[in-house]
Amino acid sequence: MQFSDFFVDINTKVKDHDFINSKFDNDSHNCQLKRLYFLISTPRSGSTWLCSEIYKKYGIVVHEYLQTSQYIPLFADSSGLLNYDQDGNYKLDFEKYVDALCIRRSKDGVLGINVHISHLYLALKLKESIIRRYPQVNVISHFLTRKDKVLQAISYAKAASSGVWSKVDSGSKLIYSDNQKFNNFFESMLEIFIAPLASVKYKYLLKQEKNYLNNYSKLPYSFRFEYESLSKDINYLNSGLKKIGEDLSIEPQITLNKEFKLLKTGHKSYNFLSFFIKNYGILLRALFKLECLVKKIKYLILRKKKKNIISLKIYF
C-alpha cells in the first residue's frame, strides 16, 4: 500500500460559515454518483465565492475537500476516519475518505470538488477511486482563473498573513468618517510590508497556472470562467451558473439559500504595491528569503519549534 506525507496544522480554526462544517452535510446514504465535478482554481481566485453561489442556487456543496493542511483532517476527523501511528501522527485511508465524501457531500448524484492546482495529485487519485466505484460516472471540469494576478497575489498574501480566508456579508453599511482618507493612507502604508510575500505569491500563481495549462490533459476542462467577469457582471454570473447546472444536469432549488452570502474577493486598487511587485519582484523575493532566514535563525537561537504541526499519512 502506498502513502504520501503531508503537514497538518491541528490548531487551525475554521469559521462557522465554512463549508467543511457538518451542518452542510447532505447525508446521501444511498450514494449513487452520476457526475463528478471539479472546479479547478488557484488560491484567492474567487473559487470559494463561486462555490457559495453554486450552493445558493443548486444546494451542491463544492469545497476544497483535497486541501491537506486543514480540510482533509477536519473532514476525516468528523467522519471518524483519523487514526494514529506509533509516532503519534495521523493516518488516513483514502478510499474510506472518498466513501465519506460521497455519503456526506453528494447531492442529486453529483459530488463537487474545488480543486486548487496544487491539489491535482489527489484529484487524480480521487477520480480513479470514483471511476472504480461508478464506471459510468461522468467527469466534468471547469477552470476558474483571475486575470489580474497581481491583485490576486496581494489578496493571497493578506489572507495568509491574517488567517482570514473568507467573510460573510453582514449587510452592514460603511459609515463615512472624516478620518477615512487618513485611515486609507495608513492602511496602504501597512500593506507595503506584505510586498515581499505578495511577490512570492505572484510568482507562485503564475507557475501554478502555467503548469496546469501545459499539462491539463490529465484533468481537462470543458469551460473557462474569469473571476473579474463573474463578480462584476450579474448577467455573466447567471449565465455561468446556468452553464454549471446544464453540465451537471441539475435544476435550481425551489427555495434558494439566499441568507448565505460570502463576500467576493476584493477589487481594491493597490497601484503603489502593484508597481513594486511588477517592477521589483526579484528584489522583493530576495527580501522574503532573507526574512525567512532571520526567522529561522531566531527560532534556532531561542530553541523554539513550531508546535501543533504534525504529519498526515494518506494511504492509497
Side-chain angles (χ1 to χ4, degrees):
M1 181 178 283
Q2 296 179 332
F3 71 88
S4 295
D5 264 322
F6 302 92
F7 286 107
V8 177
D9 186 350
I10 60 174
N11 216 26
T12 300
K13 296 180 180 179
V14 298
K15 302 291 185 180
D16 188 55
H17 64 261
D18 197 296
F19 279 150
I20 206 67
N21 289 308
S22 58
K23 69 178 184 178
F24 293 103
D25 287 354
N26 285 314
D27 291 324
S28 303
H29 294 292
N30 188 23
C31 177
Q32 292 294 323
L33 278 191
K34 298 176 182 177
R35 287 163 294 281
L36 175 61
Y37 177 57
F38 291 120
L39 177 62
I40 301 164
S41 62
T42 49
R44 311 308 290 173
S45 62
S47 61
T48 301
W49 167 75
L50 180 56
C51 289
S52 75
E53 295 297 314
I54 294 171
Y55 170 69
K56 285 193 293 183
K57 191 171 185 69
Y58 299 110
I60 305 292
V61 187
V62 183
H63 196 41
E64 294 174 52
Y65 300 118
L66 302 178
Q67 190 245 57
T68 55
S69 64
Q70 175 182 13
Y71 290 134
I72 283 183
L74 285 172
F75 191 81
D77 186 44
S78 65
S79 302
L81 298 178
L82 281 185
N83 297 304
Y84 297 89
D85 61 18
Q86 58 187 5
D87 297 320
N89 292 316
Y90 288 141
K91 293 195 305 181
L92 175 64
D93 185 325
F94 191 69
E95 295 299 317
K96 291 182 179 179
Y97 184 77
V98 174
D99 284 335
L101 280 177
C102 291
I103 292 171
R104 295 176 57 185
R105 293 307 169 99
S106 66
K107 180 180 173 64
D108 299 331
V110 177
L111 176 63
I113 315 288
N114 179 7
V115 182
H116 284 177
I117 292 172
S118 58
H119 308 158
L120 279 179
Y121 169 73
L122 289 177
L124 293 172
K125 289 286 187 182
L126 183 138
K127 178 183 172 183
E128 292 171 4
S129 179
I130 292 293
I131 290 175
R132 281 198 300 270
R133 289 171 169 78
Y134 310 101
Q136 305 302 318
V137 71
N138 187 16
V139 180
I140 299 106
S141 298
H142 293 156
F143 179 43
L144 173 66
T145 187
R146 188 167 176 178
K147 186 177 181 180
D148 194 328
K149 292 292 187 294
V150 174
L151 285 185
Q152 183 179 355
I154 294 170
S155 176
Y156 194 179
K158 290 182 68 176
S161 299
S162 66
V164 179
W165 293 91
S166 63
K167 295 179 181 179
V168 174
D169 187 358
S170 64
S172 60
K173 301 291 184 181
L174 292 176
I175 300 175
Y176 181 78
S177 167
D178 291 337
N179 296 322
Q180 193 66 43
K181 289 184 178 180
F182 173 77
N183 291 337
N184 289 339
F185 172 78
F186 185 67
E187 182 183 351
S188 298
M189 293 304 296
L190 287 177
E191 285 165 352
I192 294 299
F193 290 101
I194 69 167
L197 178 58
S199 181
V200 170
K201 298 300 186 186
Y202 176 64
K203 186 176 181 181
Y204 170 81
L205 292 169
L206 291 176
K207 183 178 179 181
Q208 286 283 296
E209 284 207 0
K210 182 180 179 180
N211 287 344
Y212 171 65
L213 293 174
N214 288 341
N215 301 282
Y216 79 94
S217 59
K218 294 181 180 179
L219 195 64
Y221 65 89
S222 61
F223 198 81
R224 178 180 179 134
F225 296 108
E226 188 178 276
Y227 168 72
E228 283 84 352
S229 298
L230 285 172
S231 60
K232 294 178 180 179
D233 187 340
I234 188 64
N235 293 323
Y236 185 82
L237 173 61
N238 289 333
S239 176
L241 291 172
K242 182 180 178 182
K243 169 66 176 173
I244 292 171
E246 289 173 348
D247 283 4
L248 299 182
S249 300
I250 51 177
E251 297 294 330
Q253 300 180 112
I254 296 175
T255 304
L256 300 180
N257 297 301
K258 291 183 179 179
E259 74 284 353
F260 186 85
K261 187 176 182 182
L262 284 183
L263 291 176
K264 304 171 188 175
T265 302
H267 293 285
K268 179 181 175 181
S269 178
Y270 297 88
N271 294 331
F272 188 59
L273 192 52
S274 297
F275 174 81
F276 266 85
I277 292 171
K278 288 179 179 178
N279 295 280
Y280 299 96
I282 295 175
L283 175 61
L284 290 172
R285 289 189 287 275
L287 287 173
F288 180 76
K289 289 181 179 179
L290 179 61
E291 181 183 343
C292 291
L293 179 61
V294 170
K295 286 181 179 179
K296 185 176 181 180
I297 293 173
K298 179 181 177 182
Y299 280 124
L300 288 174
I301 293 174
L302 298 177
R303 295 183 179 180
K304 287 185 178 181
K305 292 184 178 180
K306 201 169 185 180
K307 298 180 180 179
N308 298 319
I309 303 293
I310 62 174
S311 174
L312 168 68
K313 285 187 171 75
I314 300 181
Y315 289 84
F316 302 100

